[in-house]
Amino acid sequence: MEHEVFVPVPAESLRAVLTDPDRVARCVPGLQRDAAGAGAGEDLAGRLRLRVGGHTITYRGGLRIVERDGAITYEGEGTEARGKGAVEVSLTVVLTPAAEGTGLGFTGALTATGRLAEEPGEAREVARVRLLDAFVEAAAGLAADAVEAEGTTGAGTGTGVGTDADAGGAEITGADGTDPASGADGAELFGDEVFREAPAPVELPSPQPAAEAAHARRTMIGRSAEEVDHAPPRGRYAPVPAPEPSGAGATLRWVAPAAALALASAVIVGRALRRRR
């Protein structure tokens, strides 16, 4: 396998991405990492879905990342998830810094049995180019993001607000050689007379109770709508008051008890006279 490509990204930023297992996993299309993590001697472990021709082959396996003499080598092996086929791959990447980016040269070998070996050579070549191009594009994108983040951080920490010492410690004076902060007689304009103590706060009257406030509102703006709705009618529409009781009825109120008392007294006196006889 041989493949060459150029990306407009610094070599060091690209190398940091290609040697980081977490970011390498994000660059490989169709790779799903195992939740349990990689095994002993492996940097990555998971399932890889590979599209070859009109078929999709899923492999389970692991990958190791090794740096030798400035080159980055990926060594991996896997077995078919649904089949007896297996695959072994060794891919070496050499980074060549350039004026406006980095050149990447891929060399390696792949040994396969099973379904991948049964596919035509042209289909395997198309799948290889498509996989490597997608891998390089994703890695370059992550490296560019890292470079942009570093530039933003450097710009944020490298700038600041100047001080009087940075300005050379020059003293500002007026046209006549006096301090502009002083008056004509040398008195400071920004002394205690200007920045005098703030006056004491004005005490506001305490709020009136709810009943007094309501009465005040009625006094100022008249009766409320509720009072108007429930107020009794006035004028010719006012109800006629009930007539007061007459004098004869009032007299009967005390005459009837007196008559009953007189009648009872007469009965008692009559009985007493009968007994004497």
Side-chain angles (χ1 to χ4, degrees), residues 173-179:
T173 59
D176 55 354
T178 60
D179 188 357

Side-chain angles (χ1 to χ4, degrees), residues 184-199:
D185 55 354
E188 293 185 357
L189 295 178
F190 303 103
D192 295 338
E193 293 184 359
V194 176
F195 296 97
R196 59 175 60 90
E197 185 178 358

Side-chain angles (χ1 to χ4, degrees), residues 206-224:
S206 58
Q208 298 179 351
E212 296 182 4
H215 176 71
R217 287 198 301 271
R218 285 195 298 269
T219 303
M220 290 185 292
I221 64 175
R223 294 180 299 168
S224 63

Side-chain angles (χ1 to χ4, degrees), residues 85-166:
V87 64
E88 293 182 3
V89 61
S90 177
L91 183 66
T92 301
V93 186
V94 178
L95 305 181
T96 304
E100 299 179 356
T102 305
L104 292 88
F106 293 87
T107 58
L110 182 143
T111 304
T113 60
R115 297 176 57 187
L116 183 59
E118 298 173 357
E119 294 291 336
E122 183 180 356
R124 292 198 301 266
E125 179 68 13
V126 172
R128 177 187 67 82
V129 173
R130 183 173 60 246
L131 180 64
L132 291 179
D133 286 343
F135 174 76
V136 172
E137 182 179 359
L142 293 179
D145 293 343
V147 172
E148 183 178 357
E150 292 178 359
T152 303
T153 304
T157 58
T159 59
V161 179
T163 59
D164 294 341
D166 298 335

